[in-house]
Amino acid sequence: MSLTNRQEEAIFRTLDTFQIELPSWAFANTGTRFGKFLDPSAASNIEEKLADAAQVNRFTGCCPSVAVHVLWDFPDGVASAAPAAQKARDLGVRIGSVSPNVFQDQDYKYGSLANPQAAIRTRSLDHILDSIEMARAAGSRDITPWFTDGSNYPGTANMRQHKRWFEEGLRAAHATLAPDQRLLIEYKPFEPTFYHTDIADWGMALQLAKSAGPQAKVLVDTGHHYQTQNIEQIVAWLLDDGMLGGFHLNDRRFADDDLTLGSIDPYQIFRIFHEICLYQFETGSPADIAFMVDQSHNLKPKAEEMIQTVMRAQMLFAKAAIVDHATLAAEQSKCNLIDAEECLQSAFQSDVRPVIEEWRRSKGLAANPLAAFRESGYLKRVIEERAGRAQAVSSYA
Ligand code: PSV
Ligand code: MN
């Protein structure tokens, strides 16, 4: 069944404002704990990552910002931020969210903000404060810390004490935010800790965000939930409380698998997007949410994968945008369960791709960004440029 004019207009309006942030780390070589397969096109520094991200933006037209990880992308700390921001601007993109890294250094073996040693708690806080300054220097709004603190064995940590240390640390970080900056608190149930994780779920993240201050919100990484968890309900609750700061989008099958968005359960992502579109319909105002991708692929070609992800995100968001909210509400109020469900399903099952292609053409973009990217020859060029370096790396890896 073809779409109505109203649905087509809804898709155009939605795509005009739907922007997706790309993670710098998606363009670098990555792997599993069992090893790393090198990709000859992989970026090895922030300049190359920005250049690759700029290509994704060039062909999709909806990825104007790039999330960075301080340790991996700003090796000289605060001094790295302004030059990276300039480089991004030169390429037609900008630096997006800034992720502190308080989990990789040996000092963090027993935690960061909740480390039993006061000196390491201070070091972690200092790093987060530096990250806030880097974000300011790079002109970016969101600071997105993710913490690995927790414990592997019962009896080895005082969970209440850890909670209080987190409250203290996040309050101190919040106190240094500029008025337009936000602190987005991410949660994850396990890994790398396997008995208890300090910020294990959305309830803990929400409580910590509320105690930190008004510019702290919750970050929902779609891969950071137990199997079968109803993520859209979490999203609905956070939206209703004005506490949803953003997403790290990806898909998962077993745990935090970092799989391509919608590759395993596209209906789940659609249902999440539906909650956002419904909220916007009911409140009449756009939700201030950062849509960030958090995926890194060790097998797929990186830039192509990001284009695939972005196209998938647009498709699922467009489907959510054409749900007939008035009919849905009417069927729900009459307890017409079958008709209410069919109303949602019919949007999910609609083929929105021709309208998205039309939208792309109207913006001067290629109807198929993946095909256009492939035809551009960019990949071949960077493979040649980066080939020598990849071989050098593999010879000692
Ligand atoms: C951790 O699994 C995570 O989701 C955090 O957001 C990190 O910043 C990101 O992945 C990259 O390791
Ligand atoms: Mn994440």
Side-chain angles (χ1 to χ4, degrees):
M1 209 174 67
S2 64
L3 301 181
T4 63
N5 285 347
R6 249 177 87 184
Q7 286 178 316
E8 291 190 7
E9 279 161 26
I11 293 176
F12 265 60
R13 260 199 321 277
T14 297
L15 295 183
D16 278 346
T17 54
F18 185 50
Q19 300 197 323
I20 303 157
E21 184 162 303
L22 303 169
S24 70
W25 53 97
F27 299 99
N29 270 321
T30 184
T32 68
R33 63 201 169 93
F34 301 106
K36 207 191 239 190
F37 298 109
L38 299 176
D39 177 335
S41 72
S44 64
N45 54 44
I46 184 65
E47 288 80 17
E48 291 178 357
K49 294 173 191 174
L50 289 171
D52 292 356
Q55 289 296 311
V56 177
N57 184 46
R58 178 179 157 210
F59 289 98
T60 60
C62 67
C63 307
S65 61
V66 185
V68 294
H69 238 278
V70 168
L71 199 67
W72 309 332
D73 297 321
F74 289 174
D76 300 322
V78 179
S80 298
Q86 183 57 50
K87 175 75 186 167
R89 271 194 299 276
D90 293 345
L91 290 160
V93 289
R94 62 182 156 76
I95 302 292
S97 58
V98 173
S99 289
N101 187 313
V102 286
F103 52 84
Q104 251 178 316
D105 193 276
Q106 290 301 316
D107 266 4
Y108 302 127
K109 183 171 179 182
Y110 301 116
S112 60
L113 283 185
N115 193 298
Q117 285 183 45
I120 295 174
R121 293 201 298 280
T122 304
R123 186 184 164 191
S124 323
L125 179 59
D126 285 347
H127 176 81
I128 295 167
L129 300 187
D130 281 351
S131 305
I132 293 173
E133 203 184 322
M134 287 175 225
R136 240 185 331 257
S140 58
R141 173 168 81 143
D142 293 334
I143 294 87
T144 47
W146 166 66
F147 298 97
T148 59
D149 296 54
S151 63
N152 274 358
Y153 305 97
T156 61
N158 180 331
M159 293 187 275
R160 239 172 349 104
Q161 173 67 77
H162 275 225
K163 169 179 170 285
R164 288 198 301 271
W165 277 328
F166 261 102
E167 286 166 350
E168 237 173 71
L170 292 174
R171 239 176 257 148
H174 188 285
T176 74
L177 293 173
D180 61 342
Q181 286 188 304
R182 306 190 305 172
L183 192 62
L184 306 187
I185 315 286
E186 184 171 359
Y187 56 92
K188 175 167 170 168
F190 71 94
E191 196 206 19
T193 47
F194 291 102
Y195 165 62
H196 106 273
T197 297
D198 282 321
I199 312 182
D201 66 24
W202 72 283
M204 297 176 200
L206 176 63
Q207 196 167 317
L208 286 172
K210 282 189 166 163
S211 92
Q215 289 161 242
K217 308 282 173 202
V218 176
L219 190 154
V220 176
D221 184 315
T222 47
H224 292 186
H225 300 89
Y226 293 116
Q227 297 280 19
T228 78
Q229 191 152 12
N230 185 332
I231 303 174
E232 60 269 29
Q233 184 181 11
I234 296 172
V235 168
W237 277 54
L238 290 175
L239 274 169
D240 207 46
D241 278 358
M243 291 302 289
L244 180 62
F247 286 97
H248 271 180
L249 298 169
N250 51 60
D251 211 335
R252 53 73 63 81
R253 178 158 166 75
F254 295 101
D256 185 22
D257 308 329
D258 267 1
L259 300 177
T260 303
L261 186 76
S263 59
I264 302 295
D265 187 355
Y267 192 38
Q268 160 89 89
I269 306 295
F270 164 84
R271 295 194 309 265
I272 291 171
F273 289 163
H274 163 60
E275 286 304 326
I276 296 165
C277 293
L278 179 62
Y279 170 88
Q280 295 183 154
F281 171 78
E282 287 178 351
T283 62
S285 58
D288 184 11
I289 301 169
F291 293 98
M292 303 167 266
V293 175
D294 182 5
Q295 292 173 184
S296 48
H297 298 269
N298 55 337
L299 301 180
K300 280 177 169 175
K302 290 152 204 313
E304 287 186 5
E305 198 289 332
M306 278 296 116
I307 295 175
Q308 184 188 30
T309 292
V310 169
M311 290 172 71
R312 185 82 50 78
Q314 285 182 311
M315 185 184 72
L316 293 168
F317 211 91
K319 284 173 187 269
I322 59 166
V323 171
D324 183 343
H325 298 115
T327 302
L328 189 67
E331 303 300 2
Q332 286 176 352
S333 70
K334 288 181 272 176
C335 297
N336 286 340
L337 309 190
I338 291 179
D339 299 292
E341 187 187 3
E342 284 306 308
C343 177
L344 195 66
Q345 280 279 347
S346 96
F348 179 61
Q349 286 165 11
S350 298
D351 187 1
V352 293
R353 287 172 300 181
V355 183
I356 297 178
E357 287 173 10
E358 239 179 82
W359 175 82
R360 289 197 184 111
R361 280 192 216 98
S362 79
K363 302 283 165 199
L365 297 164
N368 183 340
L370 188 55
F373 173 74
R374 285 179 170 161
E375 278 160 26
S376 74
Y378 177 82
L379 207 57
K380 188 168 171 284
R381 187 155 57 75
V382 295
I383 287 175
E384 277 162 19
E385 280 170 17
R386 299 170 187 176
R389 189 226 334 124
Q391 265 163 23
V393 172
S394 67
S395 62
Y396 63 75

